[in-house]
Amino acid sequence: MLFSSIPFLYYFLPVVLILYFLAPKILKNPVLLISSLVFYGWGEPKYVFLMIATVLEGYIFGLLIDKFRGKPSSKIFMIISVLLSLAGLAYFKYADFFISNFNSVTGLSVPLLRLALPIGISFYTFQILSYTVDVYRGSVAVQKNPVNLATYIALFPQLIAGPIVRYADVEVQLTKREHSFDKTAEGCRRFILGLSKKILIANTLGELCETFLQTPDTSVLYHWLFVTAYMQQIYFDFSGYSDMAIGLGKLLGFDFMENFNYPFIAGSITEFWRRWHISLGSWFRDYVYIPLGGNRVKRARLLLNIFIVWFVTGFWHGAEWNFIIWGLYFGILLTLEKFFYLKNIERHRFLGHIYVLFFVAISFMIFSAPNMTEAVVRLGGMFGQGGIPFASAEFWYQLKNYGFVLIIAGIGATPIAKNGAYWLQSRIKKKALFDVLEIIVLLLLIIVSSGYLADGSFNPFLYFRF
Amino acid sequence: MKNKSKVLTLIIGISIFLITLLCWTFPKQEYSESERRPLAEKPELSIGTILSGEFMEGFEKYVVDHFPKRDNFRRVKALFSEYVFNKKDNNSLYFADGHISKIEYPENIEMLDHAQERFDFLYDSYLKDKNVNVYLSIIPDKNYFLAEKNGYLSIDYDEFIESFKNRVDYMNYIDLVPLLSIDDFYRTDSHWKQENIVDIAEFVAESMGTQAKSQYTVNTLEKPFSGVYLGQSALPVEPDTIKYLTNDILDSCKVNYYDTGMAVSGDIYNMEKAMGKDPYEMFLSGTTPLVTIENEKASSEKELVVFRDSYASSLVPLLVPGYSKITVVDIRYMQSNFVGNFIDFDNQDVYFMYSTTLLNNSLAMH
């Protein structure tokens, strides 16, 4: 089920909130768990059983790791748990990738499995991994209540598109949550803003991207318009989902970590990745990069560590070579920054912005393609390969058609709007006026977003690969 | 504001729950008048439909289609898109010079190939080496008059028409473009107005060597005509008015419709359909595979066969005075290879009359 859908907004969510707040404290987690399973099963009912099996695996191995703490078997149970979790991910997400590459190399024709990817498997697998590893490390206490652990894994606000919530971050909140009007109001704000970012901005720019991908009237400038729109679409879609998840979390008494912090204002690629999909970056840092030795190793080993981290980061995003190349591309840029010019570009902030936007645009073109062959074609199109004209009639039309949305998106991707709101708040003498204005704006956003949904407008789900 | 969070939570919460209540209780409809389509039905709830995902898919369509005051919400979207996002079109529909129109772009070569292949088939199967005169007119859609000058994407209509003429050079081309202007079209619909195309009918008849001049009484349909684009665009635009032309000749014609292959007699103007979902369907009963119109008061014995799309529905009645019999064929609703079962091609004028819209989207031609 999508957050940005009428079934979620006006059927699922109100019922869940009523049940949740009517339920006594002891039943709040069971209500959340059952709701989350319904939410998950809505898209692919059979995979609810996979989700339950995954939770049971994490639960049982968590207990075993804890029981044999201090003994070698504890480490063995942790390794088995990690391997089981990764095996599930490998089977459902990567099996066809491995088979097709095996077929290409050997010339054989091993049939593909063509499995439907369980939605959100990459997210909840990483959550279970973090739980069992943290139990092994002793940084969190084992969860003896299976309902609480299942609630953490399956919790619907962050289930299908993150942020990747660490068990350590919500360990206490699973049993002790604060509900207040301040927190609920903040949850409402975040949810409505996220919903609007997704429906009004991301989906509108998504229409432009779809139009580009289907047009025969392409051109160099149209490629650049596409990649600009695509960057913004992904940002507003993904950060909008994270806002909705954080907002829903607050409504239910949880505090999830921030996942985006205006990544397009970064002055270096290093800074970009500190601002983009923060929960994923920090997960790879804590569970892959640092266990490999981090940067306290010799240069050759450090390069290998960076290679491994960015290889898996790319691979996590999709089972195709273009995602691996996409990850390694960032790995190379980050390595170059680390060893050669990070300090220089940090001194020239404006040039740093241009540099980031250019290289991130290239990366998104790779990311946008279904495979590496198509990625090469699209990259070539950005630089005039394929004999395409510099500009086309459709480019000029779509520039006029979507230009204003792109400007709004460009401003929205920076702190200007937020700072503007703070400035306005400080300038209005009657604070109540600003408060009323805020409520009106939020109500209007609900109405307009509902209008887009009722119209059946373009509303893609971008996380089917994750 | 004191208790700001409390007020915000309550107002937002109550609003969401109010819309929820309306979603759950608002009366459901079977048909959308504005979009001219049946609305999704409630999906069957069973273990089988849940496990297959059919129920969820059906439910999502159902709740979107039956969203309370949906047309008003769609209008909010259309206005937001136009005035806040400054978008030039909404779902490819745009408003310019008082008209709503739909972008027709780009030129689709595959569709033109298909249309040509169908025309070639008809010509080779029924018309070649026969005692018939074959004519063609291509009617430009509204974008010809609106798109380029208002900055919208537009196919090159002159090139489009010229190239299609050359594809079917066995047809004599009758050029209607110089006689047309945007005022000849409904503001909210794709079609032309019958009361504005009398001169076109006379010109067509003259080009085919006959006369179709006649005096008509102009009648106005009381029901407002919300054209196909009005509902789709959801824009707040006034509906059109349909006018239709009558005279003694048209009243005395013998008209037969062959919807099922069997002849059913009727009238040139179907007043039941005039009151229905798409009032433009009053002209020759709208989507019909085959219609014959016999005119005993004709000044000549000439017969005419028209291969057509919906634009011809309102034009063909105006050609009646020039012919003793007109047979109207729509190969979107009849297989081309069945045409010979109904028409004996001998000593007729054969007129292919198609809009640029259909030629550029010709997959429906069989």
Side-chain angles (χ1 to χ4, degrees):
Chain A
M1 196 184 296
L2 304 181
F3 292 161
S4 54
S5 71
I6 288 171
F8 180 82
L9 288 174
Y10 299 120
Y11 288 82
F12 178 83
L13 185 60
V15 171
V16 170
L17 289 177
I18 288 171
L19 291 176
Y20 178 79
F21 284 107
L22 285 180
K25 194 180 171 193
I26 194 167
L27 288 180
K28 285 197 187 302
N29 281 356
V31 165
L32 280 186
L33 175 59
I34 292 166
S35 311
S36 299
L37 293 177
V38 170
F39 174 86
Y40 191 68
W42 186 263
E44 196 68 69
K46 63 185 178 194
Y47 285 142
V48 169
F49 301 107
L50 175 70
M51 158 80 72
I52 293 169
T54 313
V55 170
L56 279 176
E57 179 264 303
Y59 176 71
I60 291 165
F61 278 94
L63 291 178
L64 289 170
I65 291 164
D66 186 59
K67 187 175 179 187
F68 293 96
R69 187 173 298 285
K71 296 177 184 169
S73 46
S74 180
K75 188 171 189 177
I76 291 169
F77 285 129
M78 187 272 287
I79 291 169
I80 292 172
S81 172
V82 169
L83 290 177
L84 278 176
S85 296
L86 291 178
L89 192 60
Y91 177 71
F92 284 103
K93 185 168 176 176
Y94 299 108
D96 280 351
F97 174 78
F98 292 127
I99 292 171
S100 58
N101 280 284
F102 177 77
N103 287 344
S104 299
V105 172
T106 60
L108 295 172
S109 305
V110 179
L112 300 178
L113 302 181
R114 299 192 190 283
L115 296 168
L117 184 65
I119 294 168
I121 189 170
S122 305
F123 288 99
Y124 68 73
T125 299
F126 272 33
Q127 296 197 170
I128 289 177
L129 284 174
S130 79
Y131 167 70
T132 50
V133 170
D134 284 354
V135 170
Y136 172 76
R137 287 173 175 170
S139 51
V140 296
V142 69
Q143 177 56 261
K144 291 185 177 160
N145 183 334
V147 172
N148 286 353
L149 184 70
T151 304
Y152 155 66
I153 302 293
L155 195 59
F156 71 85
Q158 42 81 52
L159 181 59
I160 55 172
I164 300 169
V165 176
R166 311 265 189 99
Y167 181 75
D169 293 337
V170 292
E171 184 183 11
V172 176
Q173 294 167 24
L174 280 169
T175 49
K176 203 189 222 175
R177 293 195 285 280
E178 179 213 338
H179 297 96
S180 67
F181 277 114
D182 283 343
K183 198 165 181 176
T184 309
E186 182 53 25
C188 288
R189 270 186 213 105
R190 282 301 288 269
F191 181 79
I192 295 167
L193 285 176
L195 184 74
S196 311
K197 280 164 79 173
K198 158 70 180 159
I199 293 177
L200 305 184
I201 307 278
N203 288 356
T204 302
L205 293 176
E207 285 172 5
L208 169 57
C209 295
E210 275 302 301
T211 308
F212 168 82
L213 293 175
Q214 289 167 16
T215 186
D217 190 15
T218 189
S219 64
V220 174
L221 289 181
Y222 205 179
H223 276 77
W224 283 95
L225 183 66
F226 162 75
V227 82
T228 306
Y230 186 71
M231 284 163 68
Q232 302 280 29
Q233 182 202 357
I234 298 291
Y235 169 68
F236 279 92
D237 200 296
F238 207 170
S239 69
Y241 252 89
S242 292
D243 286 339
M244 286 188 271
I246 291 166
L248 288 170
K250 287 195 185 298
L251 290 179
L252 300 169
F254 289 94
D255 290 304
F256 299 149
M257 73 181 296
E258 292 295 334
N259 213 16
F260 290 86
N261 183 22
Y262 303 110
F264 295 133
I265 65 164
S268 66
I269 299 295
T270 307
E271 187 187 349
F272 175 82
W273 272 100
R274 284 195 202 115
R275 292 171 174 273
W276 178 273
H277 203 173
I278 299 164
S279 64
L280 182 73
S282 63
W283 196 96
F284 276 116
R285 183 195 63 215
D286 293 346
Y287 295 97
V288 180
Y289 186 66
I290 291 174
L292 286 170
N295 48 13
R296 294 178 182 174
V297 287
K298 289 182 180 169
R299 179 166 287 200
R301 179 57 198 253
L302 176 60
L303 289 173
L304 179 67
N305 290 352
I306 292 172
F307 173 83
I308 290 170
V309 166
W310 288 99
F311 181 94
V312 291
T313 299
F315 208 27
W316 182 89
H317 282 85
E320 274 295 341
W321 279 106
N322 60 309
F323 293 107
I324 294 172
I325 300 294
W326 176 82
L328 292 176
Y329 166 88
F330 276 116
I332 291 168
L333 286 172
L334 290 164
T335 306
L336 291 173
E337 283 187 5
K338 192 177 185 72
F339 291 116
F340 297 105
Y341 56 79
L342 182 58
K343 284 185 180 163
N344 283 334
I345 53 172
E346 279 176 347
R347 276 199 293 271
H348 302 91
R349 192 81 184 158
F350 179 74
L351 287 178
H353 291 314
I354 305 288
Y355 153 82
V356 166
L357 290 176
F358 176 79
F359 283 101
V360 169
I362 300 289
S363 81
F364 271 94
M365 201 51 135
I366 299 170
F367 192 87
S368 74
N371 52 54
M372 200 55 215
T373 311
E374 180 61 22
V376 170
V377 172
R378 291 185 192 178
L379 283 172
M382 292 172 81
F383 301 99
Q385 289 295 304
I388 58 172
F390 183 66
S392 58
E394 194 169 327
F395 159 73
W396 291 113
Y397 176 72
Q398 300 300 4
L399 184 65
K400 283 185 275 181
N401 200 17
Y402 289 93
F404 198 67
V405 186
L406 282 165
I407 291 170
I408 292 173
I411 294 169
T414 69
I416 293 172
K418 194 166 93 177
N419 293 341
Y422 288 145
W423 178 83
L424 192 67
Q425 195 174 14
S426 68
R427 301 287 290 185
I428 295 176
K429 286 180 183 165
K430 287 192 174 177
K431 297 296 171 206
L433 186 64
F434 183 85
D435 298 341
V436 170
L437 202 64
E438 185 191 22
I439 293 171
I440 291 170
V441 168
L442 291 174
L443 285 175
L444 284 175
L445 288 174
I446 293 174
I447 290 168
V448 176
S449 297
S450 298
Y452 273 70
L453 293 177
D455 189 50
S457 301
F458 186 64
N459 191 12
F461 180 68
L462 302 176
Y463 313 102
F464 60 90
R465 285 199 190 103
F466 293 169
Chain B
M1 188 191 292
K2 279 183 185 174
N3 299 320
K4 178 191 169 183
S5 296
K6 200 172 187 176
V7 173
L8 188 147
T9 303
L10 287 175
I11 291 178
I12 299 293
I14 288 168
S15 304
I16 296 278
F17 279 98
L18 206 63
I19 300 175
T20 300
L21 199 66
L22 287 172
C23 284
W24 289 56
T25 59
F26 206 72
K28 310 297 184 227
Q29 292 177 321
E30 289 180 1
Y31 190 84
S32 165
E33 293 287 342
S34 62
E35 293 168 281
R36 297 184 185 174
R37 66 176 180 89
L39 298 172
E41 291 178 19
K42 192 182 276 186
E44 185 198 334
L45 179 61
S46 68
I47 301 288
T49 56
I50 288 177
L51 288 177
S52 68
E54 264 177 63
F55 173 77
M56 293 76 144
E57 200 177 315
F59 185 78
E60 290 188 12
K61 286 181 186 156
Y62 176 76
V63 296
V64 168
D65 270 7
H66 297 275
F67 195 74
K69 294 283 174 193
R70 180 163 170 266
D71 283 345
N72 294 9
F73 274 96
R74 290 179 57 237
R75 183 164 298 166
V76 167
K77 185 251 174 168
L79 294 174
F80 186 87
S81 178
E82 183 169 352
Y83 293 109
V84 178
F85 279 171
N86 204 24
K87 285 219 44 228
K88 289 185 71 68
D89 69 78
N90 178 28
N91 302 334
S92 295
L93 291 155
Y94 65 90
F95 184 74
D97 296 350
H99 283 255
I100 308 173
S101 191
K102 187 167 195 174
I103 291 172
E104 185 63 50
Y105 186 88
E107 186 175 319
N108 193 327
I109 300 297
E110 280 178 20
M111 291 292 107
L112 294 179
D113 290 344
H114 179 70
Q116 182 195 344
E117 188 270 323
R118 288 293 80 198
F119 288 1
D120 289 348
F121 175 83
L122 290 167
Y123 182 76
D124 292 338
S125 305
Y126 308 117
L127 307 175
K128 197 175 179 182
D129 303 327
K130 293 281 178 64
N131 180 25
V132 292
N133 304 306
V134 186
Y135 301 93
L136 166 72
S137 286
I138 298 174
I139 306 153
D141 60 76
K142 286 164 80 172
N143 294 300
Y144 178 82
F145 306 98
L146 293 173
E148 199 174 350
K149 85 178 232 220
N150 286 291
Y152 290 92
L153 277 175
S154 168
I155 55 177
D156 183 339
Y157 281 90
D158 294 333
E159 190 275 332
F160 182 100
I161 291 171
E162 192 60 31
S163 98
F164 199 83
K165 267 166 62 182
N166 294 334
R167 283 167 175 259
V168 288
D169 57 4
Y170 46 79
M171 298 185 184
N172 300 299
Y173 191 72
I174 302 173
D175 189 2
L176 307 183
V177 174
L179 301 177
L180 279 168
S181 75
I182 188 61
D183 296 331
D184 297 327
F185 293 81
Y186 294 109
R187 288 177 296 102
T188 64
D189 198 72
S190 56
H191 294 105
W192 53 17
K193 302 175 194 168
Q194 191 187 42
E195 69 273 21
N196 281 32
I197 54 173
V198 175
D199 59 335
I200 288 177
E202 290 173 358
F203 177 71
V204 169
E206 208 171 283
S207 303
M208 294 193 291
T210 190
Q211 290 291 326
K213 283 200 163 102
S214 195
Q215 295 296 314
Y216 296 100
T217 305
V218 179
N219 308 275
T220 303
L221 201 64
E222 279 183 22
K223 183 183 176 181
F225 174 44
S226 297
V228 64
Y229 295 148
L230 185 56
Q232 286 176 11
S233 73
L235 287 169
V237 176
E238 283 296 306
D240 278 291
T241 303
I242 283 189
K243 293 183 178 176
Y244 59 101
L245 308 180
T246 55
N247 63 15
D248 290 346
I249 298 171
L250 296 185
D251 290 345
S252 64
C253 282
K254 189 178 161 195
V255 184
N256 279 313
Y257 293 94
Y258 293 79
D259 286 340
T260 58
M262 302 294 290
V264 176
S265 68
D267 297 313
I268 283 186
Y269 301 118
N270 185 329
M271 300 316 290
E272 199 178 315
K273 289 201 170 178
M275 295 298 130
K277 296 157 186 169
D278 179 5
Y280 184 79
E281 289 205 325
M282 70 175 290
F283 298 106
L284 291 184
S285 284
T287 52
T288 313
L290 187 82
V291 188
T292 59
I293 306 167
E294 290 172 49
N295 172 20
E296 289 177 355
K297 295 182 179 175
S299 53
S300 77
E301 289 301 306
K302 285 188 82 171
E303 290 188 16
L304 172 68
V305 178
V306 180
F307 288 96
R308 57 94 175 212
D309 61 16
S310 55
Y311 284 78
S313 299
S314 51
L315 183 92
V316 165
L318 307 180
L319 295 173
V320 167
Y323 289 94
S324 62
K325 183 178 180 186
I326 299 180
T327 306
V328 185
V329 186
D330 193 333
I331 57 168
R332 290 175 298 172
Y333 307 105
M334 175 193 270
Q335 297 284 345
S336 296
N337 53 354
F338 287 174
V339 171
N341 298 342
F342 293 93
I343 306 167
D344 185 17
F345 287 93
D346 183 33
N347 193 27
Q348 291 132 329
D349 289 338
V350 179
Y351 184 33
F352 287 75
M353 183 186 195
Y354 284 90
S355 64
T356 46
T357 312
L358 189 70
L359 292 177
N360 206 36
N361 302 275
S362 67
L363 210 57
M365 287 183 178
H366 299 302

